[in-house]
Amino acid sequence: MSDTGAKPDNAEGKKTPAAKKKNNGPKYSGYDLDCFLSPQDVLRAVRELDQSGFFLEDISCLDIQEGLFLVYHFDRYEQPGRVGLRVLLDRNNPEIPSIFDIYPGAAWHERECFDFFGVRFTDHPNLIPLLLDPDYKGLPPLLKDEGDRQGLEQILPERDVSPVSVQSQELIQKIHDCSKTHDRTQS
Amino acid sequence: MNLDLRLDTSGDFYAQKFQPTKRDDTLILNMGPQHPSTHGVLRILLEIDGEYIVRADPVLGYIHRMHEKMAEIMTYPQYLPNPSRTDYLHALAWGWAHVGAVERLMDIEVPERAEYIRVITCELNRISSHLLWWGAYLLDLGAFTPIMYAFDDRERIQDILQRITGSRLTYCYYRFGGVSHDIDQRFIEETKTQCARMKDRAKMFKDLVTDNFILRKRVEEIGEIPLDTCRKYGATGPVLRGSGLAYDTRRAEPYSVYDRFDYKIPTHDTCDAMGRYLVRMDEIQESIQIIEQALDSLPEGNFIHPKAPKRPKPPAGDVYFAVEGGRGKIGMHLVSDGGNKPYRLKLRAPGFSNLSLFSEIAQGTLIADAVSILGSLDLVIPEIDR
């Protein structure tokens, strides 16, 4: 028993570095600008996006070992280019300011995250269940079991996950210049 | 005797949340979940002053099936039939978004012929989707005959697609790296015949319905959506193009072989229900253009890559893949941890964002006009509820 139990472990240990070498990620991930923010910087970044003419595509959330991981997707009509804003929240206190005041369309996306992950958006005008039954009493359904959770390193290998500061002029310039960098058909 | 109806009906959870209001001469009314004009189980809470809407709030979730959870517990091929169950009217586009996301993450090559077949079938499906919207919208507005004409054409398209895909509505045709069956000469000929027929029918549709005085009274200057409102709510598809902006995922974020075809992105800058109506009618013609060009230049080759993985195991990482569906931008955010199931699959439904602006534009309109506005958004509730 102990033999068979040890083998997959070893195999996995060998596989990881090899997989890492091979894995340079996809040619184009669909993101033209992808940045990690700290929760208190989100409003400022979203305001910047609003002024640059972006619209909100959706708000996605992930349950990982480090906590709840929100991903805001923005795109632009006139000068297409997708921006992903990634924010890591504390699992025990998943709170983040609502962006409803800037994008009223975010109200439903935020309610969906509240439904499925229990993320609380402060200053949301109407944070009640959207898709789930209001009488549902269980845990948010998309939260994973303790053992199934993966860490950031497993999901986004070799990525710099330290939050960038919104104060920096560099980021604001990047947001402003963001445009589609890759044409799938030309590759 | 208590004549205030609001005090007699406390209502359910959502009705109670909707109650607080400063006015005492209004009435709270439920429209749906089984109202014929909501096309599926959509409920809208209305506060009305006579015939006028003071506030409106859609209540969703009546056919929520947790497609995102299903993605996490099924392997990639097991999930293939699922996306077409979300938006059953433009099922192929949803299937494409799914296989496209996996192909992007794994860098799977799709043979040229397969890309052409995808374009042809997806555009055929777009036409049938717009036809059903056309018939059903006019049904909402009180015209019964047009849906019969729409179904005549729709059935022919479904017959064509059925021979190739094996189903009539919830297609599961695209595979990772191609499609499940090749198209044959009969498909090509039938499609050409149908395209020619649709061009003729367009004139009849215009004479019979589009130029009709009664229809114009119901849709012109109704439900005006300014461009900035579209942006604030993330509206895409014909709703956005009916407000005058030529934004189309096929052009803005080119995927597959769409950049090889010559087609226009129809827009109308009236911002009203008529604008959205005309955009969809024009789009049927543009889709025919694309299909005809694709059929003329259809390359030989494989319909699926010979080395395409049957049981994909994408590397860890995340991708976003978007396609243009009949209702707007369909997006899939796929996160993989290297296993044979997605770690997370987030579905962006265009109808979800399009419907969310309804509360704002319905304010101050007549109930009858709200029906017209709802229809002009082209809602497919299973897609919104997922």
Side-chain angles (χ1 to χ4, degrees):
Chain A
M1 277 302 276
S2 59
D3 243 330
T4 47
K7 259 179 192 168
D9 264 349
N10 275 344
E12 242 175 43
K14 270 179 204 160
K15 225 169 124 188
T16 328
K20 254 187 191 172
K21 244 183 228 167
K22 220 173 71 182
N23 174 25
N24 295 318
K27 267 188 236 148
Y28 175 56
S29 63
Y31 294 95
D32 301 291
L33 176 63
D34 191 2
C35 54
F36 289 74
L37 297 175
S38 49
Q40 68 270 17
D41 276 351
V42 166
L43 276 182
R44 212 189 141 106
V46 171
R47 221 167 267 134
E48 207 58 57
L49 287 161
D50 180 33
Q51 278 163 17
S52 301
F54 283 85
F55 69 93
L56 178 71
E57 279 187 326
D58 58 28
I59 303 174
S60 177
C61 189
L62 286 157
D63 184 14
I64 54 174
Q65 275 167 8
E66 286 85 348
L68 295 176
F69 191 45
L70 276 181
V71 190
Y72 296 77
H73 292 120
F74 291 88
D75 205 336
R76 190 154 41 178
Y77 295 137
E78 260 94 13
Q79 184 192 338
R82 183 169 292 106
V83 175
L85 299 183
R86 296 164 189 267
V87 188
L88 193 59
L89 302 177
D90 182 12
R91 178 184 313 286
N92 299 319
N93 185 28
E95 260 192 11
I96 188 160
S98 167
I99 60 166
F100 169 82
D101 285 338
I102 308 164
Y103 287 100
W108 282 12
H109 293 290
E110 290 178 344
R111 274 170 73 185
E112 197 185 311
C113 282
F114 170 69
D115 262 353
F116 295 164
F117 292 92
V119 177
R120 284 190 308 279
F121 294 86
T122 51
D123 302 323
H124 189 290
N126 191 25
L127 200 60
I128 56 172
L130 179 70
L131 296 175
L132 291 187
D133 182 1
D135 293 333
Y136 175 73
K137 293 283 188 296
L139 279 171
L142 280 184
L143 289 182
K144 290 186 183 282
D145 292 335
E146 190 78 51
D148 295 338
R149 280 185 205 129
Q150 301 278 11
L152 254 185
E153 176 58 28
Q154 274 101 41
I155 293 168
L156 302 172
E158 296 174 36
R159 195 87 73 87
D160 182 17
V161 295
S162 50
V164 292
S165 163
V166 192
Q167 316 284 1
S168 75
Q169 205 55 42
E170 196 188 349
L171 179 69
I172 292 168
Q173 195 58 38
K174 268 190 197 159
I175 286 174
H176 192 77
D177 296 339
C178 177
S179 64
K180 208 73 3 192
T181 50
H182 180 94
D183 183 352
R184 191 166 184 243
T185 49
Q186 281 169 3
S187 63
Chain B
M1 194 178 146
N2 178 21
L3 286 173
D4 189 348
L5 286 168
R6 288 176 309 160
L7 294 182
D8 290 330
T9 51
S10 57
D12 74 336
F13 175 82
Y14 291 102
Q16 282 165 18
K17 291 279 177 193
F18 193 68
Q19 287 287 344
T21 173
K22 289 187 196 87
R23 296 180 60 173
D24 58 358
D25 58 343
T26 56
L27 181 74
I28 306 263
L29 184 78
N30 273 297
M31 190 165 139
Q34 263 95 34
H35 193 277
S37 77
T38 57
H39 298 280
V41 271
L42 170 69
R43 168 181 167 202
I44 297 172
L45 276 160
L46 300 172
E47 182 182 353
I48 49 173
D49 177 2
E51 277 279 296
Y52 288 91
I53 295 171
V54 182
R55 279 188 306 149
D57 191 18
V59 178
L60 309 181
Y62 286 93
I63 30 176
H64 172 56
R65 290 150 297 166
M66 206 73 232
H67 274 289
E68 293 177 8
K69 181 72 188 175
M70 279 192 253
E72 289 177 19
I73 57 170
M74 287 197 225
T75 61
Y76 287 93
Q78 280 176 332
Y79 192 68
L80 278 172
N82 270 60
S84 57
R85 266 75 182 171
T86 51
D87 178 356
Y88 53 85
L89 290 185
H90 200 182
L92 282 173
W94 274 86
W96 198 342
H98 175 229
V99 296
V102 177
E103 282 161 7
R104 178 171 276 180
L105 185 56
M106 292 183 74
D107 221 349
I108 302 175
E109 198 187 319
V110 184
E112 224 177 29
R113 186 178 173 85
E115 295 277 28
Y116 273 73
I117 296 172
R118 282 184 185 180
V119 168
I120 294 164
T121 47
C122 185
E123 293 305 316
L124 270 177
N125 199 189
R126 188 188 312 277
I127 296 173
S128 69
S129 162
H130 281 350
L131 280 172
L132 184 80
W133 161 80
W134 182 73
Y137 183 38
L138 294 162
L139 203 58
D140 291 348
L141 298 177
F144 181 75
T145 317
I147 198 167
M148 292 300 171
Y149 287 101
F151 263 83
D152 182 357
D153 282 308
R154 202 178 132 78
E155 288 292 313
R156 285 162 203 265
I157 294 174
Q158 284 178 324
D159 286 344
I160 295 172
L161 286 174
Q162 185 182 9
R163 265 195 65 246
I164 298 300
T165 65
S167 41
R168 294 178 71 80
L169 193 69
T170 48
Y171 310 105
C172 174
Y173 181 47
Y174 302 154
R175 296 288 183 272
F176 310 112
V179 295
S180 68
H181 290 90
D182 203 356
I183 55 174
D184 55 8
Q185 200 53 37
R186 189 173 150 196
F187 173 88
I188 294 172
E189 270 151 30
E190 281 177 354
T191 310
K192 280 186 173 158
T193 315
Q194 179 60 19
C195 285
R197 185 188 146 89
M198 287 299 303
K199 282 183 190 166
D200 278 351
R201 299 279 279 186
K203 297 185 195 88
M204 190 265 281
F205 288 168
K206 186 170 186 301
D207 291 342
L208 181 72
V209 182
T210 312
D211 289 343
N212 185 301
F213 176 73
I214 304 169
L215 172 81
R216 294 212 164 229
K217 282 277 179 203
R218 290 297 305 276
V219 292
E220 278 181 344
E221 292 173 25
I222 301 296
E224 291 182 354
I225 311 176
L227 255 187
D228 201 50
T229 309
C230 285
R231 187 174 72 80
K232 292 280 185 184
Y233 285 89
T236 47
V239 174
L240 174 68
R241 295 191 284 272
S243 293
L245 205 124
Y247 179 81
D248 188 313
T249 315
R250 290 172 293 180
R251 197 55 72 70
E253 207 175 324
Y255 56 96
S256 186
V257 288
Y258 273 111
D259 57 344
R260 299 188 194 174
F261 307 118
D262 180 28
Y263 61 99
K264 288 196 283 289
I265 299 172
T267 55
H268 285 269
D269 55 9
T270 49
C271 304
D272 56 1
M274 192 66 195
R276 301 189 274 283
Y277 175 99
L278 290 173
V279 162
R280 291 195 186 95
M281 296 313 274
D282 292 349
E283 270 183 26
I284 293 178
Q285 298 308 314
E286 292 305 320
S287 289
I288 293 172
Q289 296 288 330
I290 296 174
I291 294 169
E292 285 183 338
Q293 290 171 48
L295 284 175
D296 287 341
S297 54
L298 184 70
E300 292 296 321
N302 292 319
F303 61 92
I304 186 161
H305 197 279
K307 283 179 186 158
K310 289 217 164 43
R311 292 175 201 81
K313 231 176 152 187
D318 73 336
V319 288
Y320 199 97
F321 188 77
V323 299
E324 182 72 18
R327 273 143 283 281
K329 181 190 269 190
I330 299 165
M332 294 239 180
H333 178 222
L334 172 65
V335 184
S336 164
D337 59 351
N340 60 356
K341 298 170 190 164
Y343 189 72
R344 168 97 166 99
L345 184 67
K346 158 83 189 166
L347 316 175
R348 181 206 196 259
F352 187 84
S353 299
N354 292 354
L355 176 62
S356 68
L357 54 75
F358 176 75
S359 301
E360 189 168 320
I361 57 169
Q363 280 175 18
T365 60
L366 288 164
I367 295 179
D369 289 343
V371 169
S372 173
I373 295 168
L374 274 179
S376 76
L377 295 175
D378 190 6
L379 304 172
V380 174
I381 310 304
E383 167 198 74
I384 295 166
D385 284 354
R386 281 159 290 149

